[in-house]
Amino acid sequence: MADPYQNNIYHQGDGDSYGTYGHGSDGYGYQTDYPPQEEDAASDATEGHDEDDQMYEGEYQGIPHPDEAKTARRAARAKARTAADTVSEQEELAEQYEDIMEDCGHGKFQWTLFVVLGLALMADSVECFVVALVLPSAEKDMCLSHGEKGMLGLIVFLGMMFGAFIWGGLADKVGRRKCLIIVLAMNSISAFLSSFAQGYGFFLFFRLFSGIGIGGSVPIVYSYFSEFLQMDKRGEHLSWLCMFWMMGGIYASFTAWGIIPRYGWGFSMGTEFQFHSWRVFVLVCAVPAVAALIGLLFMPESPRFLLENAKHDEAWMILKQVHDTNWRAKGEPERVFTVTQIKTPKTQEDEFIEIQTATGTAFQRWIVRTLTLTKLVIKNVCSLFGRDLRLSTLLMAVIWFTMAFSYYGLSVWFPDMIKHLQHEEYESKLKVFHREKVEHFHFNFSLENQVHKEGDYINDKFVNMEMKSVKFEDSLFVDCTFENIRSTETFFYNCTLIRTKFIDTDIYKEKFIDCTFENVTFEHTRKGCHLDYDEENDVLIYLVSFLGSLAVLPGNIISALFMDKIGRIKIIGGSMLISAGCTFFLFLSFSQAAIIAWQCLFCGVSVAAWNGIQVITVELYPASKRATAFGVLNAICKLAAILGSSIFASFVGITKVIPILLSFGALVGGGVIALKLPETREKLLL
């Protein structure tokens, strides 16, 4: 059988080879025309030094030299390859790439990329928080009904679900860097436009578009970064990358706390255009995406993606850039990138089909390219359910779904329960007045949380005041005047009003239910809603968000330190099962402080499972399907988030039992299934 490779050896400058995988005459071997390094071409930095006289500083402590450790790892891989009956093409390519990344080292380049991609991940986190933080103000500014508020909360996750699926698939065909630039640009532009959108419809559309954009960032970021990491660094550094999701929550909470309550941080242009401070916050939330977008312009494409698509020259140049950047930063500029040949797959994926200029218009060529690209993405998605990957995909789908269903369901349930307890406390202080008779009285003070039943108000004036949660039932108003009134949740039920005036108020006819009017006039009525920044921006909203984000710090650190030591499977299974146990503490959530404490405990424990899930998702799939698989699974995650948040929210104020049992059952089921997954900490990145 003819070997698929030609000249498939890539050499070090000292003459040793990493390995020979074949000697056939056909295939896709890659050779460079770079001349061999001459013996007298060593850098001046090494002149006058005898390498044999230099001692590795860790030798005194019995620490192996990094080169010795690298040699030992390669020897172990060679031994395993020899012991195996057959070695697949993917495994050979993976071993070659791992050897190259070990030579490139881990240093300045990876840390720079770490920050840039971390900002992109931070933008995804901010997107999840922004609507929840602006909703108390936005609902008043845009007069949102309960249904509209619910749709606004879900539309972002809906957009992210489609975005993860679309951009994950495209990243495997178009490129990680190119797709990530597009999604960050979409998010930045949509955030900017949504901050200026005055109507609910436009605001909803731009938040949907923003979600579609940023939804692709998570699958691309982890796939992209993993392909610049060697095996022994992969689990730890992908886990450290998860820290930026926490930083996104902290950033959103702090900026909301600092901006939204500041009413003066805005402007207006007549009555048609209002730019309140919560819109400034929406604008500021685009900063991480813009920063990541700028940084990404200076980063290269993933060389692994380029090799999968037969772009050998570009991949070689990028690998050389990584090597030189790292070793110069470590003070060893004399190190030379010695790779001269790189193997590529024998059979490449289907090439894009384009009509030549002479055979069609630019639009026709675009249509053909788009259809071909769509076909390739769908084919790649279907391959996830092929014989080799079907079991892994189904297990991961269940784990992603159960984790997201519980996590996002409880993330909505916690603040909603706090609001419910606040409402119960508020209702307990309700004042009820029966059959009061008030004549010739001037009301110029606020009325709040009151019910007035069967009262008579004769020749009274209600002037320059606020009414909040005030109800008049079966009452009589004669020759009364209401002037310059601001009201919230104020209604009149079955009342009779005679010769009564409403001047410059926001009490309009819709607030009178089953009432009788005689000579009642409404002048300069202020329709719509108003913002009260003292009342609508309870500091507890921002505090809960901040503490929930900060609580994941210990879990992030522990998972990063132990991801490569105890393995991904134990991290995921253990974290999910412990999180399931934590849900039973929710039966003790009788106060706001208790709910916040249990929220912090749950978030701190469950984050380790999230980190493990994201790491193992990257490692289970080959390079040609990695972003696609991550995108599909992340889309399932967002679907679970929509279902979980909707179901859990519906039981607030009714019962705790069902949400707790649902989250417990999902976490236990997902944790047990996670233990069935294969361990990947010593697996080469295919």
Side-chain angles (χ1 to χ4, degrees), residues 345-601:
K346 176 183 177 183
T347 57
Q348 302 294 332
E349 294 288 341
D350 297 335
E351 298 289 341
F352 292 150
I353 301 173
E354 295 191 58
I355 301 177
Q356 298 300 319
T357 304
T359 62
T361 64
F363 178 74
Q364 288 175 321
R365 294 195 299 276
W366 178 82
I367 289 292
V368 171
R369 182 178 176 85
T370 301
L371 292 175
T372 304
L373 187 57
T374 302
K375 178 183 175 182
L376 292 176
V377 170
I378 294 174
K379 180 181 176 182
N380 221 21
V381 171
C382 294
S383 69
L384 300 178
F385 299 93
R387 185 184 61 181
D388 296 337
L389 298 174
R390 184 187 302 120
L391 181 60
S392 296
T393 301
L394 293 176
L395 291 178
M396 289 303 301
V398 172
I399 293 168
W400 273 92
F401 185 92
T402 54
M403 187 67 204
F405 181 81
S406 301
Y407 181 84
Y408 286 104
L410 289 176
S411 295
V412 170
W413 188 81
F414 285 128
D416 281 359
M417 274 299 295
I418 291 175
K419 292 178 183 178
H420 175 69
L421 292 178
Q422 288 178 327
H423 180 71
E424 283 188 336
E425 182 181 357
Y426 188 77
E427 288 289 320
S428 68
K429 299 177 181 179
L430 177 68
K431 297 179 181 178
V432 181
F433 299 87
H434 290 276
R435 296 182 179 179
E436 59 181 353
K437 187 172 183 179
V438 182
E439 297 184 43
H440 303 284
F441 190 79
H442 190 168
F443 291 88
N444 58 358
F445 48 86
S446 296
L447 301 179
E448 181 177 355
N449 198 20
Q450 298 178 3
V451 175
H452 299 262
K453 296 183 177 182
E454 300 179 6
D456 292 335
Y457 303 91
I458 311 299
N459 202 14
D460 295 325
K461 291 185 178 181
F462 300 80
V463 181
N464 299 327
M465 59 183 295
E466 294 185 8
M467 295 181 178
K468 182 177 181 181
S469 298
V470 178
K471 295 179 177 63
F472 294 95
E473 299 178 2
D474 303 309
S475 298
L476 173 66
F477 295 86
V478 179
D479 294 321
C480 292
T481 301
F482 292 80
E483 185 174 356
N484 192 21
I485 305 294
R486 295 180 64 187
S487 66
T488 304
E489 297 294 324
T490 297
F491 297 94
F492 296 76
Y493 295 94
N494 198 30
C495 295
T496 300
L497 295 91
I498 302 173
R499 297 185 301 277
T500 298
K501 296 181 180 180
F502 292 86
I503 305 171
D504 193 22
T505 73
D506 58 7
I507 304 175
Y508 42 89
K509 291 185 178 180
E510 286 77 4
K511 293 193 175 184
F512 296 88
I513 301 171
D514 296 328
C515 294
T516 301
F517 296 111
E518 292 184 19
N519 296 326
V520 176
T521 58
F522 294 87
E523 299 177 13
H524 308 295
T525 302
R526 298 195 304 262
K527 285 206 172 187
C529 307
H530 67 271
L531 283 172
D532 186 338
Y533 283 84
D534 293 330
E535 299 294 338
E536 304 302 338
N537 291 282
D538 187 350
V539 69
L540 194 61
I541 298 172
Y542 314 118
L543 182 63
V544 170
S545 176
F546 169 73
L547 292 177
S549 300
L550 188 62
V552 306
L553 180 61
N556 263 322
I557 294 174
I558 293 172
S559 64
L561 295 178
F562 290 95
M563 188 67 70
D564 288 321
K565 291 181 174 61
I566 67 175
R568 288 77 161 123
I569 303 307
K570 293 179 181 177
I571 289 282
I572 299 171
S575 175
M576 292 185 75
L577 293 175
I578 295 173
S579 299
C582 292
T583 59
F584 278 100
F585 287 110
L586 300 179
F587 283 113
L588 305 177
S589 54
F590 300 114
S591 66
Q592 297 178 37
I595 291 177
I596 295 174
W598 304 140
Q599 177 189 13
C600 292
L601 177 63

Side-chain angles (χ1 to χ4, degrees), residues 103-104 319-327 335-337:
D103 275 350
C104 291
L319 289 169
K320 184 178 185 301
Q321 176 190 349
V322 175
H323 176 279
D324 294 348
T325 300
N326 286 340
W327 290 111
R335 290 225 184 189
V336 179
F337 185 59

